[in-house]
Amino acid sequence: MNPNLNLTTMIGFFLIFFLIPVSANFFALLFGNYTSTQLLPDKDLMLFNLILTSRDFWMAIINWSPFPIISGIITVYSYPILQYIFGKNVSPARTELVKRRLINSPFFISLLGLIGWEMSTTLSILRTIQIIPGVDRQTLFLLFIVFSFWGYFVFSFSFFTVDYLNRVSLIPCFFPEGGLGKYANTRRFSIISKHMIVWSSISLFPTLLLLLGLMNRSKFQIFELLSIFKTDIIFQLAGVLLIFTFLITYTLAKSMHTPVRIMEEATYRIKDQDFKTKVVIHSSDEFGVLGDAINEMTAGLAEKERIKDTFGRIVDPRIRDYLLNNEQSLGGETVEATILFTDLRDFTKLSEDRTPKQVLHILNRYFQEMSNAVEAHGGFINKFIGDAILAVFGTPIPLTSPQSTALQTAYSMMENLKRLNKEFLNEGLPELRMGIGIHTGSVLVGNIGSLSRMEFTVIGDTVNTASRVEGLCKGLGKELLITESCYNLLKPEEKERLTFLGEFELKGRFSKEKLYS
């Protein structure tokens, strides 16, 4: 048996797909026969009893065949659900079928019962006309009304009972975490439709039956109903009460349906990131409270999105999402990554002749072009250090070939700088020159700082090496330098574009590093 299901599930299944349909039809048949004897005039009772005791084959088929047919259809419909309960054939496609059938079961069972009753009633009347020619039309009309009402009773009782049992016994087991929203387009009755079903079940049809009973006792004919309404105050009062109960029921349904639709539409807009949505409910009941709660939630989501957007401008949006989706604490882990370090040459001299605002304008345009290159290739900028950039490839966002990606990023950065320099020359601004150093090795990626203030970064000898390699660019007259550890991991066609320069001692280090450009 499916581990998520229990005895309550089995009891609920038995009640929904067996006991409720059978008992509803059985009791409706009993009450239909009983009320017919009370509503029919004495002269028509013999005819009614004759129909009940008729040994006509087709009449028996018409009266009794709907029960096994409906039971068989319900059995076939519910069989996949029963299989799922016992853990058989629980493939994803089958599970989806089971869930949809479960949600549709109130609509399906109740409508099936209604169709069976009304077809049986209609065919019985037609068969009666065939076997008893000249039968009184009033008798047939009364029989049709009575049994149609009890067919509608089966429909109404089945729907609301199955719907309730579904909610309390089966749906919590099949949907333990909810998530029924995606099935909103399945067959269902709206709030207004449900209220109209209730009104017709407990007000319209019972009142009509009582009026028919009064007409029978008063020896009136059914076809005299219109003239009776014109003269009898009880019938007039019944008509007025029916109108008022309808208006009250419809108004109540509308007062529930309208705010629910408003809030439903609002939630869809909020789901689509429209945080300017505002729910206006003109009532102080639970719907008003819920509407205000949605507005407060929307304001909170808007503030959260604003913070998230601001956070994404300070750090790479992918790193932002990584940080938000993981528990943050001091420390980190050692991983293999490729570090790209770039720095502007002679930036100090460039800054001496300009105001801080002019320098910031130049830097921001330069950083934008470099950021475009890094982000386009899947790397992330860990930090801006004055006029320098520290970019990381391979962590925490995995890449198939971080060394190749870093190299392609360097080429794009150089192309972007050439284009930017043309713009600067046209604007009378100085050209920029930069150096790029790339190194591959182990880095510690994680949070450093204190419990109250921490920074996500990468540290280690690999970062320092990339920075020192970039520092050699000016002395060697090269725009790009790559260490041997990075070079060895490149593709053959990428290696062909590079030239071995030799071994060089890096600042602050005793060992030498083989460099390529």
Side-chain angles (χ1 to χ4, degrees):
M1 182 176 288
N2 193 310
N4 292 328
L5 310 178
N6 49 40
L7 181 61
T8 303
T9 307
M10 290 300 303
I11 295 175
F13 178 86
F14 173 76
L15 291 174
I16 290 172
F17 294 103
F18 178 74
L19 188 60
I20 297 301
V22 171
S23 60
N25 284 280
F26 177 74
F27 284 110
L29 185 62
L30 290 180
F31 284 121
N33 292 334
Y34 176 75
T35 51
S36 295
T37 61
Q38 302 302 311
L39 296 178
L40 289 176
D42 293 338
K43 65 183 181 67
D44 296 325
L45 285 178
M46 292 182 61
L47 175 62
F48 176 68
N49 291 326
L50 178 64
I51 295 173
L52 289 180
T53 57
S54 172
R55 295 185 178 181
D56 181 72
F57 174 76
W58 289 111
M59 182 66 77
I61 292 294
I62 291 170
N63 287 334
W64 295 105
S65 62
F67 294 99
I69 292 175
I70 291 174
S71 298
I73 295 174
I74 292 177
T75 300
V76 173
Y77 181 86
S78 63
Y79 184 67
I81 301 175
L82 187 64
Q83 280 187 311
Y84 186 87
I85 291 176
F86 285 98
K88 298 178 180 179
N89 196 359
V90 290
S91 63
R94 193 73 168 180
T95 300
E96 187 67 18
L97 171 68
V98 167
K99 289 182 177 181
R100 288 192 175 275
R101 288 198 175 184
L102 183 66
I103 294 172
N104 290 331
S105 57
F107 182 90
F108 178 81
I109 292 174
S110 59
L111 194 62
L112 192 63
L114 178 64
I115 293 173
W117 262 88
E118 303 312 329
M119 286 185 62
S120 177
T121 300
T122 303
L123 293 175
S124 295
I125 296 298
L126 294 176
R127 183 58 182 167
T128 300
I129 295 174
Q130 288 182 339
I131 63 177
I132 309 177
V135 64
D136 185 60
R137 294 295 185 267
Q138 172 172 296
T139 302
L140 295 179
F141 187 68
L142 285 173
L143 286 173
F144 181 79
I145 290 178
V146 171
F147 280 93
S148 294
F149 163 72
W150 288 110
Y152 190 82
F153 166 80
V154 169
F155 162 75
S156 178
F157 176 80
S158 298
F159 175 79
F160 288 107
T161 306
V162 170
D163 186 56
Y164 174 76
L165 291 173
N166 224 8
R167 294 172 187 266
V168 300
S169 61
L170 294 187
I171 287 181
C173 298
F174 283 80
F175 298 88
E177 298 180 0
L180 278 76
K182 70 175 184 176
Y183 301 97
N185 294 326
T186 55
R187 299 175 182 86
R188 59 172 180 166
F189 292 112
S190 66
I191 293 176
I192 295 179
S193 300
K194 290 179 181 179
H195 279 76
M196 292 301 101
I197 293 173
V198 171
W199 172 78
S200 57
S201 299
I202 67 176
S203 183
L204 176 62
F205 280 105
T207 301
L208 291 178
L209 286 179
L210 291 175
L211 293 179
L212 291 175
L214 287 175
M215 290 177 64
N216 179 36
R217 295 186 178 186
S218 302
K219 309 301 181 181
F220 288 119
Q221 297 293 313
I222 184 65
F223 300 111
E224 299 174 346
L225 184 61
L226 184 60
S227 61
I228 296 173
F229 263 107
K230 294 179 180 179
T231 58
D232 195 302
I233 190 171
I234 294 180
F235 281 75
Q236 293 172 355
L237 179 61
V240 172
L241 290 176
L242 281 177
I243 293 174
F244 274 101
T245 55
F246 173 82
L247 292 175
I248 291 172
T249 304
Y250 181 80
T251 302
L252 175 62
K254 197 69 176 175
S255 68
M256 298 173 63
H257 179 263
T258 300
V260 167
R261 287 302 301 271
I262 291 174
M263 289 185 286
E264 181 183 16
E265 292 172 0
T267 54
Y268 282 124
R269 292 197 299 271
I270 295 170
K271 183 181 178 181
D272 293 333
Q273 306 293 306
D274 182 6
F275 297 123
K276 294 181 180 179
T277 301
K278 191 171 182 63
V279 175
V280 180
I281 305 295
H282 299 290
S283 67
S284 58
D285 55 14
E286 291 85 349
F287 291 112
V289 174
L290 185 57
D292 291 343
I294 291 177
N295 289 333
E296 293 176 7
M297 178 194 70
T298 305
L301 289 173
E303 178 66 14
K304 180 180 178 182
E305 189 64 22
R306 188 187 68 80
I307 294 172
K308 186 178 178 181
D309 182 65
T310 303
F311 190 18
R313 295 174 185 271
I314 297 173
V315 300
D316 187 293
R318 295 163 299 169
I319 304 303
R320 173 201 64 195
D321 296 338
Y322 171 82
L323 295 174
L324 293 176
N325 293 329
N326 292 276
E327 188 70 25
Q328 299 305 312
S329 60
L330 292 176
E333 58 178 338
T334 301
V335 296
E336 288 290 315
T338 298
I339 303 298
L340 183 151
F341 196 93
T342 179
D343 192 13
L344 285 177
R345 298 178 188 173
D346 303 322
F347 182 72
T348 303
K349 183 178 179 180
L350 183 146
S351 304
E352 289 178 351
D353 302 329
R354 289 170 176 80
T355 64
K357 189 174 182 180
Q358 292 174 326
V359 173
L360 184 61
H361 173 72
I362 295 173
L363 268 182
N364 284 338
R365 291 178 64 179
Y366 164 73
F367 284 148
Q368 182 63 59
E369 293 296 332
M370 301 303 105
S371 298
N372 291 342
V374 174
E375 292 171 5
H377 290 87
F380 90 92
I381 294 178
N382 180 238
K383 63 183 65 177
F384 297 103
I385 311 169
D387 60 328
I389 300 174
L390 172 60
V392 184
F393 298 84
T395 186
I397 304 164
L399 293 173
T400 304
S401 180
Q403 303 79 22
S404 298
T405 303
L407 179 61
Q408 296 303 319
T409 300
Y411 292 149
S412 296
M413 293 171 80
M414 291 187 288
E415 288 298 322
N416 288 359
L417 183 59
K418 289 179 182 178
R419 185 175 61 254
L420 181 62
N421 279 332
K422 290 181 181 179
E423 295 177 6
F424 280 173
L425 287 175
N426 292 333
E427 297 172 17
L429 296 174
E431 286 187 294
L432 300 180
R433 294 184 301 162
M434 69 175 179
I436 301 174
I438 303 177
H439 181 55
T440 298
S442 298
V443 296
L444 180 69
V445 56
N447 297 311
I448 63 171
S450 64
L451 292 176
S452 59
R453 181 75 170 88
M454 60 183 69
E455 177 186 6
F456 181 81
T457 188
V458 290
I459 59 175
D461 185 62
T462 300
V463 179
N464 296 331
T465 300
S467 174
R468 298 292 187 266
V469 168
E470 185 280 324
L472 294 177
C473 287
K474 183 177 181 181
L476 295 176
K478 299 294 182 180
E479 197 172 8
L480 170 65
L481 293 177
I482 298 176
T483 63
E484 185 179 41
S485 62
C486 178
Y487 176 85
N488 290 337
L489 297 173
L490 294 175
K491 300 173 183 177
E493 60 269 22
E494 293 172 331
K495 293 180 179 180
E496 291 178 358
R497 297 184 59 182
L498 300 172
T499 303
F500 177 64
L501 299 179
E503 289 187 292
F504 298 87
E505 186 175 310
L506 301 181
K507 185 179 179 181
R509 300 170 64 97
F510 296 106
S511 60
K512 293 184 178 181
E513 193 75 42
K514 293 181 180 180
L515 299 180
Y516 297 80
S517 178

